[in-house]
Every structure is written in structure tokens, then in C-alpha cells.
């Protein structure tokens, strides 16, 4: 097909949010590289997209909790110059309290949501900066703003995604690369089943369909948003939160302790 926008590499494209991104990006003219562990499900997604859109969809099996597999995908991001977009989406969650969760589950969350996420984000960003173009979509979560909810390691991993994205955004300024951070609220995907709380058991008014979540996020991208929170009615509310955070900056590091600690008075 002639009107290709290049290739989008999407991690976690076998189900849920990643599979919908695959469909939508193909409809927007991207060929695809779809990454996950479940080869059969990836092939199914690829086949359906190829037949409905005519775009090419390659599938790559990789376990992002395994360092060698993460490096293989990072190498692909840096060496394949047909790749013009990267959706850093693969993730795992837990919904149980910190102290009631198997520490191996916490390790798994950190390996995928933090370690692999970082290596792949940096690989894509470095490669795109060299070409002064490209699109990176990092999938965070609203639990970064509400760490009291779900599992603390999961929300912390998404806080990490948020901070890394803010830092990366600063480094990418003026370098021709677009970065978007998406913070979905509860979205009806298999993630909830795996976390032991099927989405249909949540209050219906807090759960968005995956189609709506991804379509809203791509609309946010089209509107030039850096941070997209699909459910938040007023984007000004998040802007105010960011403004309050940034207003702290001049006073966060000083050569004297704050007066309330009484340390200066001792001298
Ligand atoms: N659903 C929500 O309510 C929600 C809300 C906020 C943020 N998010 C975030 O959205 C992203 C996508 O989640 P989802 O809801 O679409 O979940 P999902 O349906 O469970 O999909 C997760 C995807 O990640 C892949 N994945 C999991 N472990 C992997 C591993 N070790 N190596 C490679 N791929 C792996 C899965 O494929 P395989 O199992 O085939 O490997 C699957 O394709 C995650 O980062 C999640 O934290 C979701």
C-alpha cells in the first residue's frame, strides 16, 4: 500500500489495549510489529488486521520479563528504520494489598512495567532522535495519581512510567519526536481477570470500553496533548495539578531547613 506511515511496534498487542491500538494504527496507515508472549493470539490479531486494513502485520514472540527478549526488541527498535511509532503498552497488574501479595508477583510487575518499559522507551527515543521524527506512546495509569488504589507496586510502577515520561518529554523538546503519556482509568480488558477482579465486577460507571479508551487517547494525540486522561472531564484539573507540582520546584532544595524544624534557631 502506498500511503504507509511507516511501522508501529506495539508491545502487549495480543489482547486488550494493545490489540485495539494495533487495529487503530493500521487504519491510520501504519504497518505493524506486534509483540507479546502468546504467538497464537498475536497471529490472530495480525490476520484480522491484515484482512480488514490491507496493512502488513508481523508478529514477534517475546517475554518482556526475560532480559534477552527485551534486548532483542530494543535492538529491533534501534536497528529497524522503518519503525516510526512505538506503543510502550505491555504491562501486568495486581489488585491485592502489598503485604498480601506474593513477592514474585511484585518482581514480575517491576520487570515488565519498569525494567522492560525503560529499556524499550530509551531505545525508541534514541533511535527517533537520530532521525528527528517518530511517535512514542507510553501507557501509564490513573493509579499513578491514586496510589491508594489497587496494589502499591502496580501503582508505583505507573508512577515510574509517569515520571520517566515527564523527564523524557523534557529531553525530547525540539528534537522532532512526539511523546504522549496515556493514563487510562479502569478499562475492560483481560488484565482485570488476570488480577483476580474481572472488570464486570467493578462498578459499571468507572469502566470504559477498550475501543473508547484508545479512540479517546488517539484523539488526545491528534489534539497535541502530552498527557491524556481519557476519563477526566476537565483537562484543566490535571493542568492545575501539574502547575501546583511545578510551583514547588524553587523551594524543594535550599541550603537551610524550613523554619518549622527549628534548626536555624539552635545556632
Ligand atoms: N485495563 C485497565 O484497566 C488499565 C488501566 C490503566 C492502565 N492499563 C495499562 O494498559 C496496558 C495494557 O493492559 P491491558 O489492560 O490491555 O491488559 P491485557 O489485556 O492483560 O494485555 C496485556 C498485554 O501485555 C502482554 N504481556 C503481559 N506480560 C507480558 C510479558 N511478560 N512479555 C510480553 N508481553 C506481555 C500480554 O500478552 P501475553 O500475555 O500474550 O504476553 C498482553 O498483550 C498495561 O500497561 C496496563 O498497566 C490498563
Amino acid at each position: 500500500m502506498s500511503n504507509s506511515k511507516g511501522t508501529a511496534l506495539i508491545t502487549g498487542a495480543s489482547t486488550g489495549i494493545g490489540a485495539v491500538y494495533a487495529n487503530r494504527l493500521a487504519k491510520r496507515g501504519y504497518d505493524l510489529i506486534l509483540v507479546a508472549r502468546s504467538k497464537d493470539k498475536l497471529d490472530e490479531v495480525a490476520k484480522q488486521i491484515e484482512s480488514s486494513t490491507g496493512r502488513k502485520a508481523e508478529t514477534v514472540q517475546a517475554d518482556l520479563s526475560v532480559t534477552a527478549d527485551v534486548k532483542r526488541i530494543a535492538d529491533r527498535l534501534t536497528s529497524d528504520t522503518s519503525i516510526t511509532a512505538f506503543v510502550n503498552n505491555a504491562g501486568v497488574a495486581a489488585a491485592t494489598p502489598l503485604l498480601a501479595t506474593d513477592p514474585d508477583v511484585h518482581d514480575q510487575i517491576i520487570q515488565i512495567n519498569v525494567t522492560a518499559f525503560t529499556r524499550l522507551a530509551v531505545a525508541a527515543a534514541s533511535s527517533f532522535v537520530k532521525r528527528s521524527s517518530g511517535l512514542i506512546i507510553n501507557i501509564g495509569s490513573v493509579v499513578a495519581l491514586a496510589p491508594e488504589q489497587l496494589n502499591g507496586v502496580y501503582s508505583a510502577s505507573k508512577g515510574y512510567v509517569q515520571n520517566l515520561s515527564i523527564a523524557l518529554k523534557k529531553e525530547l523538546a525540539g528534537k522532532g519526536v512526539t511523546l504522549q503519556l496515556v493514563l487510562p482509568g479502569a478499562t475492560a480488558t483481560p488484565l482485570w481477570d488476570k488480577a483476580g477482579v474481572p472488570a464486570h465486577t467493578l462498578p459499571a460507571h468507572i469502566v470504559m470500553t477498550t475501543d473508547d479508551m484508545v479512540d479517546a487517547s488517539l484523539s488526545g494525540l491528534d489534539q497535541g496533548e502530552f498527557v491524556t486522561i481519557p476519563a477526566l472531564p476537565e483537562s484543566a484539573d490535571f493542568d492545575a495539578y501539574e502547575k501546583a507540582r511545578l510551583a514547588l520546584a524553587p523551594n524543594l532544595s535550599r541550603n537551610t531547613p524550613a523554619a518549622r524544624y527549628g534548626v536555624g534557631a539552635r545556632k
Side-chain angles (χ1 to χ4, degrees), residues 12 14-15 17 37-38 63-64 89 154 158 187 189 192 194:
S14 60
T15 59
I17 291 167
R37 291 168 303 177
S38 318
D63 182 342
L64 298 178
N89 164 75
Y154 178 62
K158 294 301 181 176
T187 309
T189 73
W192 290 95
K194 297 171 204 168

Side-chain angles (χ1 to χ4, degrees), residues 235-250:
S235 63
D237 290 346
F238 183 75
D239 295 343
Y241 171 86
E242 273 296 278
K243 200 173 163 193
R245 179 179 72 78
L246 291 168
L248 294 172

Side-chain angles (χ1 to χ4, degrees), residues 24-177:
R24 299 304 194 267
L25 292 180
K27 283 184 178 158
R28 285 179 173 227
Y30 288 93
D31 292 322
L32 302 171
I33 299 171
L34 306 177
V35 178
R37 291 168 303 177
S38 318
K39 183 82 167 102
D40 50 343
K41 285 190 196 153
L42 284 177
D43 288 344
E44 216 171 284
V45 172
K47 196 171 141 199
Q48 193 279 325
I49 288 174
E50 285 189 334
S51 68
S52 63
T53 68
R55 307 288 355 160
K56 280 185 287 181
E58 176 188 344
T59 60
V60 178
Q61 188 173 32
D63 182 342
L64 298 178
S65 66
V66 174
T67 306
D69 283 15
V70 178
K71 286 185 177 172
R72 180 160 50 88
I73 303 303
D75 286 349
R76 182 75 187 262
L77 282 166
T78 44
S79 63
D80 184 343
T81 54
S82 77
I83 297 174
T84 53
F86 172 48
V87 185
N88 206 355
N89 164 75
V92 288
T96 43
L98 276 173
L99 305 189
T101 303
D102 180 345
D104 288 346
V105 169
H106 288 154
D107 285 356
Q108 183 85 354
I109 292 171
I110 293 167
Q111 279 159 8
I112 298 163
N113 298 12
V114 174
T115 306
F117 173 89
T118 305
R119 192 162 195 123
L120 300 180
V122 171
S126 308
S127 180
F128 291 165
V129 162
K130 281 191 193 125
R131 289 182 266 143
S132 302
S133 70
L135 165 67
I136 299 173
I137 300 174
N138 285 338
I139 305 297
S141 167
V142 292
V143 294
L145 303 171
E148 301 84 356
Q149 293 177 23
L150 302 181
N151 171 277
V153 172
Y154 178 62
S155 62
S157 76
K158 294 301 181 176
Y160 179 93
V161 166
Q162 187 151 327
N163 272 13
L164 184 119
S165 299
I166 292 169
L168 186 57
K169 168 85 175 158
K170 187 177 174 219
E171 286 193 40
L172 292 176
K175 296 191 174 148
V177 181

